């Protein structure tokens, strides 16, 4: 191994630390904005934007209680695993026009795998808590996972397939490639409608993936008193809240990368560091807008569904919408 | 639906039950509002032996609504009053019927009415806990209002030695100087 | 393989319960197989306390049975004492009582709507409704001096008059609710997620409602036209046209599910507005209390002998008080019964066969008031040893506990 190779590895490690740090801060900050926006929509004052930070620091100094029935090493290990898995996804996501840190080492299929890890972690943690509420929550989380996977994969496959038709020579599942070639520019009018349907699918999968109302059945405050998280306290709960914040960023970034990978630097004839700066800012604005639609707005405008209704909603109507989108894109390509 | 007048209901009770069944009866008429529209309240005192028959008879008029059973410790005996109402659903039609019965303390037993009116379970269980009345035919269920570890043989609303003493001293009360 | 069911306890403290109460569920998968109710976590021994108080003192005790029903209990209690002692209430007082009771109904039903939405996870509606509720609380404060625990009822009448200056403010509030009602109706009856969660959930058949002696909106939503204001009108209700509201008034059919209970409560808000309007229009002039001097009133009650029941259609259903006076300072019997006491049993048929997710909304759907239901308890008793706990001892104990948990 050469010195250059070592240097690259070192740079990647430093980059990873910076991205993890920024991702966590951004996640908590956006969580604060989400709460503030929800409060404004409900005509409340709402907590200050720094509230998630304060919550996090408060939880960190609180006592960490492990219930008697729990399996301690699983119980304590799961929050760390969840957070790590979530942060890892960040390394595969493009930010503005910066290509992903680990670009070339994994693609969107890996991201889908990684996305299931936090959910599996929570299921394991729930079962390890030894509380009936957490048990019910874990069962529900498993059902949820099985439900939203199909529409999510449909969306990704459709975009990948379309790209592979247009650019057969590229690695179509790489996010850098997807980011460089927005879907909207590649399709005709029929495909445009299809892509729109796929966008709707992803927008509805997002709150499910993040366990937000109306799909927050695994946590369901009024039914299960927090469900999966009912026995977690102190540091472990803080890690879960971090993971949740980062996961919000991840899911929203995924929507941005798949559907809105546009940059604005070239409009102002900027280059170099300015281009990166303005694109990153634009990226943050896109994140905010999409988070508002996918998380905040849906959250304040609906009641919680029951688990059978959730899995029905994902399996039947949403899968149909997703498959319809896929077939429209296919039709569009074949007809051209 | 055919509505009986309050007096007719009392007559019905007297006719259908044994002669000794209805010990006392009273019909009150109350008025309300500017227009002085009136409603009636019937008070009946029933012999404990014919009590179940009285309830059965009541059920033939219309399925009665049981509000509550109230108890009263009268030193030698316990008075139970069953507060019913019938003819609900029509304006000015409802009549309250209060069936009272006196149980001697040596023989505190009354048949359950949950077979006729299942909704009576809560109030019968409360009666059992608070006054120590044995409800015949009521399944032995845990305490409904009192704690599960409440001492046996203590009935809070009794005024005799089986009741409880008032255990909060009121320091703010002005005491008479003797 | 045999069926494996497991038990899930809900309560005494749980986010879906606003007051302490215990439920033990036998669950198979997500379906409820068996329900065990264990109330009694909220006993304060109120009827027992009533034994050491004279009737006028009991009014304030009755008012504090429950914060939300704080007009219903004194209303029923005062009627019971008046019936027992044969006191005639002036007509003006009867109207004022009805106005206060109906304002309370508006506030209680809107509060319920918010709680129900919260149980469904629809917090936006919680904030919407509870903000709307502030208006009637402000009005109640303006009329009686208190947001809750109004302290306006007195045996033989009311303690405060509603004068000409009060009328515009009442009318303003009624207008406000007329405006907001359309919004509430739209939100509750046309929202697809609420319909998904409430239609055909927690069904109580007409027969079950009858057999279990259900009262109030719970019974009416199952199709029983039972409303004391209609059946046995008391106070000013005898002059007004009140009709028991069943859900078929709006939809044409009765299902007895939670959706129907929402309809009944929403329509009752409109009904209350109409009743208050009629009251304001027709209120007669005259005295507001039969006997102004409390000492004289107490003496009169001391000499009275007789028994009486007072019934009032509280927001949650029939509230009944029974009082027996026996020529002494303290009433011989005071029995209070709140609507939740009767509706308690209706939870069982509603819950069996439903999912875990339905538990909170089904429990909330009868608008339970655990504080009203549990009234009687007794101080602790160790090994038959009777101990006296004075205020100082309690204070000492609590200081000890504080020291113990904060070293």
């Amino acid at each position: 191994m050469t010195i250059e190779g070592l240097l690259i590895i070192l740079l990647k490690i430093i980059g990873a630390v910076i991205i993890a740090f920024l991702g966590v801060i951004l996640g908590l900050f956006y969580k604060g904005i989400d709460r503030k926006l929800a409060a404004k929509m409900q005509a409340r004052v709402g907590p200050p934007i720094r509230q998630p930070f304060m919550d996090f620091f408060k939880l960190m100094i609180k006592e960490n209680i492990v219930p008697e029935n729990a399996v301690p090493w699983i119980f304590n290990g799961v929050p760390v695993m969840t957070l790590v898995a979530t942060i890892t996804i960040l390394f595969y996501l493009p930010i503005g026009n910066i290509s992903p840190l680990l670009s070339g080492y994994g693609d969107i299929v890996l991201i889908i795998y990684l996305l299931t890890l936090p959910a599996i972690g929570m299921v394991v943690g729930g079962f390890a808590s030894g509380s009936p509420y957490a048990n019910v929550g874990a069962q529900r989380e498993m059902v949820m996972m099985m439900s939203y996977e199909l529409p999510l994969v449909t969306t990704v496959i459709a975009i990948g397939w379309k790209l592979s038709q247009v650019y057969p020579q590229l690695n179509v599942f790489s996010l850098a490639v997807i980011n460089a070639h927005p879907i909207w520019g590649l399709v005709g009018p029929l495909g445009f409608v299809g892509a729109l349907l796929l966008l709707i699918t992803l927008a509805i999968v997002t709150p499910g993936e993040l366990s937000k109302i109306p799909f927050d059945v695994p946590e369901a405050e009024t039914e299960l008193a927090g469900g999966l998280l009912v026995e977690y306290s102190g540091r472990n709960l803080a890690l879960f809240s971090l993971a949740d914040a980062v996961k919000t960023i991840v899911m929203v970034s995924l929507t941005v990368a798949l559907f809105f990978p546009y940059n604005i630097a070239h409009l102002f004839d900027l280059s170099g560091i300015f281009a990166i700066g303005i694109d990153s800012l634009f990226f943050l604005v896109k994140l905010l807008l999409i988070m508002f639609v996918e998380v905040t707005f849906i959250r304040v405008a609906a009641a919680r569904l029951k688990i059978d209704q959730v899995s029905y909603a994902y399996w039947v109507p949403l899968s149909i919408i997703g498959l319809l989108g896929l077939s429209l894109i296919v039709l569009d390509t074949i007809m051209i | 639906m055919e509505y009986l007048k309050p007096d007719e209901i009392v007559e019905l009770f007297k006719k259908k039950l044994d002669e000794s069944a209805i010990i006392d009866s009273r019909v009150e008429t109350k008025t309300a509002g500017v227009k002085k529209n009136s409603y009636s309240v019937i008070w009946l005192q029933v012999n404990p032996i014919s009590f179940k028959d009285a309830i059965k008879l009541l059920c033939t008029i219309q399925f009665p609504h049981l509000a509550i059973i109230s108890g009263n410790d009268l030193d030698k005996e316990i008075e139970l009053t069953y507060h019913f109402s019938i003819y609900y659903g029509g304006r000015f039609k409802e009549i309250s019927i209060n069936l009272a019965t006196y149980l001697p303390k040596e023989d505190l037993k009354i048949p359950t009415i949950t077979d006729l009116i299942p909704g009576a379970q809560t109030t019968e269980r409360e009666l059992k806990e608070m006054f120590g009345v044995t409800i015949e035919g009521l399944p032995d269920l845990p305490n409904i209002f009192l704690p599960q570890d409440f001492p046996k043989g203590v009935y809070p609303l009794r005024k005799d030695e089986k009741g409880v003493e008032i255990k909060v001293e009121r320091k703010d009360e002005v005491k008479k100087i003797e | 393989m045999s069926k494996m069911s497991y038990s899930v306890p809900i309560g005494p403290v749980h986010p879906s319960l606003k007051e302490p109460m215990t439920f033990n569920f036998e669950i198979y998968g997500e379906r409820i197989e068996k329900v065990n109710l264990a109330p009694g976590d909220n006993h304060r021994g109120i009827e027992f306390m009533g034994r050491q108080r004279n009737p006028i003192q009991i009014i304030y005790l009755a008012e504090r049975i429950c914060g939300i029903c704080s007009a219903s209990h004194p209303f029923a209690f005062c009627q019971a004492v008046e019936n027992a002692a044969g006191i005639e209430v002036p007509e003006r007082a009867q109207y004022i009582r009805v106005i206060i009771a109906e304002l309370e109904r508006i506030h209680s039903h809107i509060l319920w709507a918010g709680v129900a939405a919260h149980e469904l996870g629809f917090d936006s509606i919680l904030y919407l409704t509870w903000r709307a509720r502030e208006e009637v609380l402000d009005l109640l404060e303006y009329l009686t001096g208190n947001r809750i625990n109004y302290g306006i009822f007195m045996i033989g009448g009311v303690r405060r008059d509603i004068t000409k200056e009060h009328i515009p403010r009442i009318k303003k509030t009624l207008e406000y609710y007329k405006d907001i009602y359309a919004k509430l109706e739209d939100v509750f009856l046309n929202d697809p997620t609420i319909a998904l969660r409430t239609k055909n959930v927690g069904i109580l058949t007409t027969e079950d409602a009858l057999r279990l002696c259900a009262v109030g909106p719970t019974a009416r939503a199952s199709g029983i036209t039972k409303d004391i204001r209609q059946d046995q009108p008391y106070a000013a209700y005898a002059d007004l046209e009140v009709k028991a509201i069943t859900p078929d008034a709006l939809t044409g059919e009765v299902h007895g599910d939670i959706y129907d209970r929402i309809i009944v409560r929403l329509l009752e808000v409109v009904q209350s507005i109409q009743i208050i309007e009629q009251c304001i229009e027709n209120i007669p002039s005259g005295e507001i209390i039969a006997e102004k001097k409390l000492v004289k009133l107490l003496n009169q009650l001391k000499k009275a002998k007789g028994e009486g029941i007072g019934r009032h259609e509280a927001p949650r259903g029939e509230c009944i008080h029974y009082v027996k006076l026996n020529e002494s300072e303290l009433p011989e019997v005071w029995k209070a019964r709140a609507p939740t006491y009767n509706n308690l049993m209706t939870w069982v048929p509603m819950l069996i066969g439903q999912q875990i997710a339905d538990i909170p909304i089904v429990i909330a759907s009868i608008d339970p008031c655990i504080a009203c239901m549990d009234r009687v308890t007794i101080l602790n008793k160790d090994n038959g040893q009777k101990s006296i706990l004075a205020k100082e001892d309690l204070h000492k104990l609590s200081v000890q506990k504080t020291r113990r948990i904060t070293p």
Side-chain angles (χ1 to χ4, degrees):
Chain A
M1 191 170 270
T2 57
I3 305 250
E4 274 172 19
L6 277 177
L7 207 65
I8 286 171
I9 290 173
L10 195 68
L11 269 178
K12 296 261 179 205
I13 290 173
I14 294 172
V17 171
I18 293 173
I19 286 182
F21 193 68
L22 283 180
V24 164
I25 299 222
L26 196 67
L28 288 177
F29 181 64
Y30 271 52
K31 202 178 191 178
I33 295 179
D34 164 52
R35 285 173 70 176
K36 195 79 180 172
L37 284 174
K40 288 287 170 215
M41 286 163 82
Q42 294 169 336
R44 291 185 284 133
V45 178
I49 286 173
R50 64 177 191 283
Q51 187 67 43
F53 293 94
M54 285 148 70
D55 288 349
F56 174 73
F57 290 123
K58 187 198 75 182
L59 282 173
M60 284 308 271
I61 57 168
K62 288 274 180 190
E63 190 186 359
N64 190 13
I65 295 167
V66 181
E68 272 179 24
N69 301 343
V71 187
W73 67 272
I74 302 180
F75 188 80
N76 288 322
V78 159
V80 179
M81 188 193 100
T82 309
L83 182 60
V84 169
T86 323
I87 289 179
T88 313
I89 307 173
L90 279 181
F91 305 148
Y92 294 98
L93 287 172
I95 299 163
N97 60 3
I98 314 166
S99 52
L101 183 74
L102 296 182
S103 159
Y105 297 94
D107 53 17
I108 195 159
V109 180
L110 180 71
I111 291 183
I112 291 173
Y113 272 108
L114 282 175
L115 270 176
T116 55
L117 261 187
I120 289 174
M122 297 199 34
V123 169
V124 173
F127 278 128
S129 318
S131 148
Y133 295 135
N135 259 325
V136 176
Q139 290 169 17
R140 288 181 175 186
E141 177 78 48
M142 285 200 297
V143 176
M144 284 280 291
M145 252 162 62
M146 288 184 255
S147 312
Y148 58 62
E149 218 69 333
L150 180 63
L152 178 64
V153 172
T154 312
T155 313
V156 172
I157 299 272
I159 291 169
W161 185 82
K162 180 68 203 173
L163 278 173
S164 74
Q165 292 297 306
V166 184
Y167 305 104
Q169 71 284 14
L170 293 176
N171 174 13
V172 289
F173 283 114
S174 157
L175 263 172
V177 173
I178 295 174
N179 203 33
H181 307 284
I183 178 87
W184 310 102
L186 305 175
V187 292
L190 210 56
F192 189 84
V193 176
L196 212 60
L197 290 178
L198 291 175
L199 176 61
I200 292 171
T201 313
L202 189 60
I204 297 177
V205 168
T206 307
E209 184 83 57
L210 298 172
S211 291
K212 293 277 187 295
I213 289 172
F215 305 115
D216 70 332
V217 275
E219 281 157 39
E221 183 219 336
T222 46
E223 295 155 24
L224 300 177
L228 291 166
L229 303 176
V230 70
E231 294 292 348
Y232 279 101
S233 57
R235 200 185 64 238
N236 287 338
L237 190 59
L239 291 183
F240 270 128
S241 80
L242 269 192
D244 175 54
V246 177
K247 205 174 174 189
T248 311
I249 297 290
V250 166
M251 282 310 291
V252 175
S253 308
L254 200 63
T255 315
V256 171
L258 289 178
F259 289 101
F260 305 104
Y262 297 103
N263 289 314
I264 53 167
H266 61 275
L267 294 180
F268 301 104
D269 272 342
L270 291 170
S271 60
I273 192 89
F274 291 108
I276 293 176
I278 196 129
D279 279 343
S280 304
L281 267 180
F282 184 58
F283 177 74
L284 292 184
V285 173
K286 281 189 289 186
L287 277 193
L288 186 64
L289 286 176
I290 290 173
M291 186 191 70
F292 176 73
V293 176
E294 288 187 347
V295 180
T296 320
F297 182 72
I298 297 182
R299 182 157 79 91
V300 297
R304 183 186 305 118
L305 296 176
K306 290 191 277 191
I307 185 68
D308 58 333
Q309 292 166 342
V310 170
S311 49
Y312 174 81
Y314 278 130
W315 271 111
V316 183
L318 208 62
S319 294
I320 289 173
I321 291 176
L323 291 173
L324 198 66
L326 176 69
S327 32
L328 280 178
I329 288 183
V330 172
L331 260 178
D332 184 60
T333 317
I334 295 169
M335 277 161 70
I336 291 166
Chain B
M1 191 172 179
E2 207 178 306
Y3 294 101
L4 297 172
K5 288 202 175 62
D7 295 323
E8 290 169 357
I9 292 174
V10 176
E11 280 308 309
L12 184 77
F13 268 91
K14 283 185 176 162
K15 205 165 70 191
K16 286 277 174 74
L17 298 176
D18 303 339
E19 279 171 23
S20 62
I22 303 295
I23 298 164
D24 190 18
S25 70
R26 185 153 51 94
V27 177
E28 280 176 5
T29 308
K30 304 275 178 194
T31 58
V34 180
K35 294 175 194 156
K36 300 290 173 211
N37 290 315
S38 65
Y39 62 88
S40 304
V41 181
I42 302 175
W43 301 86
L44 290 173
Q45 191 190 325
V46 187
N47 196 330
I49 301 160
S50 348
F51 188 75
K52 192 75 181 259
D53 298 331
I55 306 278
K56 274 179 189 154
L57 179 62
L58 187 63
C59 288
T60 60
I61 302 176
Q62 190 198 8
F63 190 83
H65 170 76
L66 173 67
I68 188 108
I69 308 169
S70 59
N72 182 20
D73 190 345
L74 294 167
D75 203 22
K76 290 276 185 296
E77 49 196 358
I78 285 183
E79 178 194 5
L80 301 180
T81 317
Y82 286 58
H83 303 278
F84 288 101
S85 55
I86 56 165
Y87 293 153
Y88 43 81
R91 188 150 172 83
F92 294 112
K93 291 286 192 286
E94 196 172 32
I95 298 171
S96 293
I97 300 185
N98 303 288
L99 292 177
T101 186
Y102 288 78
L103 302 178
K105 283 235 172 115
E106 305 84 60
D107 188 33
L108 274 179
K109 269 184 200 155
I110 190 135
T112 178
I113 59 166
T114 45
D115 48 343
L116 301 168
I117 307 168
Q121 204 201 58
T122 318
T123 179
E124 284 193 348
R125 280 166 77 182
E126 188 191 2
L127 197 68
K128 193 174 92 183
E129 283 164 40
M130 297 299 173
F131 286 97
V133 179
T134 312
I135 312 283
E136 288 172 331
L138 186 72
D140 190 26
L141 294 161
N143 279 355
I144 184 162
F145 288 122
L146 293 179
Q148 302 306 328
D149 55 353
F150 197 78
K152 290 223 158 53
V154 180
Y155 304 110
L157 289 183
R158 288 270 276 266
K159 290 177 184 170
D160 56 11
E161 69 283 350
K162 282 195 175 173
V164 289
E165 281 175 20
I166 295 165
K167 282 177 257 162
V168 177
E169 234 175 50
R170 289 181 60 174
K171 296 269 165 104
D172 54 328
E173 262 178 12
V174 182
K175 293 217 170 77
K176 274 181 196 164
I177 300 165
E178 287 166 18
Chain C
M1 212 179 87
S2 68
K3 258 186 172 182
M4 284 285 284
S5 62
Y6 55 99
S7 72
V8 173
I10 293 214
V13 179
H14 188 275
S16 72
L17 302 167
K18 305 299 164 235
E19 290 170 277
M21 159 114 192
T22 314
F23 297 81
N24 289 310
F25 291 99
E26 291 283 320
I27 310 261
Y28 175 67
E30 284 260 342
R31 204 176 60 248
I32 300 165
E33 301 265 290
K34 213 172 141 195
V35 193
N36 263 327
L37 306 177
D41 300 317
N42 204 7
H43 285 219
R44 281 107 73 222
I46 286 183
E47 280 162 359
F48 189 76
M49 279 144 79
R51 281 193 188 167
Q52 302 147 55
R53 284 161 169 79
N54 66 37
I56 293 181
Q57 288 170 325
I58 292 179
I59 298 175
Y60 300 97
L61 197 59
E63 205 159 74
R64 279 152 185 80
I65 288 176
C66 164
I68 297 165
C69 320
S70 57
S72 310
H73 284 288
F75 196 159
F77 175 74
C78 289
Q79 282 193 61
V81 176
E82 285 148 11
N83 285 341
I87 299 170
E88 279 289 320
V89 183
E91 285 140 13
R92 189 176 176 82
Q94 293 181 6
Y95 274 77
I96 294 173
R97 283 179 174 188
V98 166
I99 291 174
I100 300 293
E102 290 304 318
L103 286 175
E104 187 195 61
R105 190 182 315 277
I106 294 177
H107 115 66
S108 176
H109 280 347
I110 291 181
L111 176 117
W112 175 83
V115 170
H118 174 66
E119 306 288 17
L120 293 173
F122 208 152
D123 281 355
S124 305
I125 298 185
L126 167 75
Y127 298 117
L128 173 78
T129 47
W130 282 34
R131 198 154 18 95
R133 172 175 167 258
E134 281 304 303
E135 175 73 22
V136 71
L137 287 180
D138 286 348
L139 175 64
L140 279 166
E141 188 178 4
Y142 176 70
L143 292 178
T144 68
N146 291 313
R147 282 161 60 91
I148 51 163
N149 292 353
Y150 315 111
I152 194 168
F153 288 88
M154 178 50 65
I155 294 158
V158 288
R159 290 177 58 226
R160 283 187 189 217
D161 201 358
I162 291 179
T163 55
K164 274 207 177 64
E165 294 86 66
H166 290 127
I167 304 290
R169 180 72 176 77
I170 300 176
K171 282 191 173 151
K172 190 186 137 230
T173 303
L174 297 183
E175 285 306 315
Y176 173 81
Y177 281 109
K178 278 182 195 160
D179 288 348
I180 204 147
Y181 173 74
K183 203 174 179 180
L184 284 180
E185 192 183 77
D186 183 43
V187 157
F188 273 99
L189 302 185
N190 299 335
D191 186 275
T193 44
I194 290 188
L196 264 179
R197 288 298 306 274
T198 56
K199 277 192 175 163
N200 292 319
V201 172
I203 292 178
L204 181 70
T205 57
T206 313
E207 195 199 349
D208 273 345
L210 263 181
R211 278 154 45 86
L212 297 173
C213 302
V215 291
T218 314
R220 288 197 282 278
S222 294
I224 303 173
T225 50
K226 185 173 180 329
D227 187 330
I228 306 170
R229 297 175 295 169
Q230 166 202 285
D231 303 340
Q232 201 185 69
Y234 51 97
Y237 291 121
D239 295 343
L240 309 168
E241 274 303 319
V242 186
K243 211 174 159 293
I245 289 178
T246 44
D248 48 347
L250 195 72
T251 58
E253 50 201 348
V254 177
H255 300 288
D257 55 6
I258 296 170
Y259 194 73
D260 280 359
R261 274 165 232 147
I262 295 176
I263 295 174
V264 168
R265 290 204 171 88
L266 283 178
L267 292 180
E268 281 187 14
V269 172
V270 184
Q271 191 186 33
S272 290
I273 295 172
Q274 288 163 354
I275 290 175
I276 298 170
E277 274 177 343
Q278 288 181 45
C279 280
I280 295 173
E281 220 158 85
N282 304 329
I283 189 165
S285 55
E287 285 294 316
I288 59 162
I289 189 156
E291 178 53 67
K292 274 205 184 86
K293 295 196 179 76
L294 292 188
V295 180
K296 213 169 156 191
L297 177 65
L298 265 184
N299 278 330
Q300 191 185 344
L301 291 173
K302 216 183 268 185
K303 282 174 205 138
K305 186 174 166 65
E307 52 190 340
I309 52 169
R311 302 171 79 202
H312 169 56
E313 183 74 22
R316 293 165 165 82
E318 175 202 39
C319 173
I320 178 166
H321 282 232
Y322 167 70
V323 170
K324 191 169 187 180
L325 299 173
N326 196 12
E327 293 177 337
S328 79
E329 194 183 343
L330 312 174
E332 192 174 305
V333 183
W334 169 43
K335 184 83 195 160
R337 210 242 37 219
T340 307
Y341 190 96
N342 272 23
N343 286 342
L344 186 69
M345 300 275 288
T346 61
W347 269 328
V348 179
M350 278 186 213
L351 281 169
I352 287 193
Q354 302 293 326
Q355 294 181 20
I356 300 177
D358 297 324
I359 293 172
I361 183 65
V362 170
I363 289 176
S365 73
I366 69 158
D367 199 359
C369 185
I370 316 290
C372 287
M373 180 190 63
D374 296 355
R375 305 159 319 276
V376 192
T377 194
I378 228 66
L379 299 165
N380 71 320
K381 191 172 207 180
D382 302 325
N383 317 326
Q385 200 80 41
K386 291 175 184 172
S387 57
I388 296 175
L389 288 180
K391 200 177 139 203
E392 282 84 37
D393 302 329
L394 290 173
H395 178 70
K396 223 188 303 173
L397 280 175
S398 65
V399 169
Q400 274 169 13
K401 171 135 197 240
T402 314
R403 295 242 167 84
R404 202 170 66 234
I405 55 178
T406 53

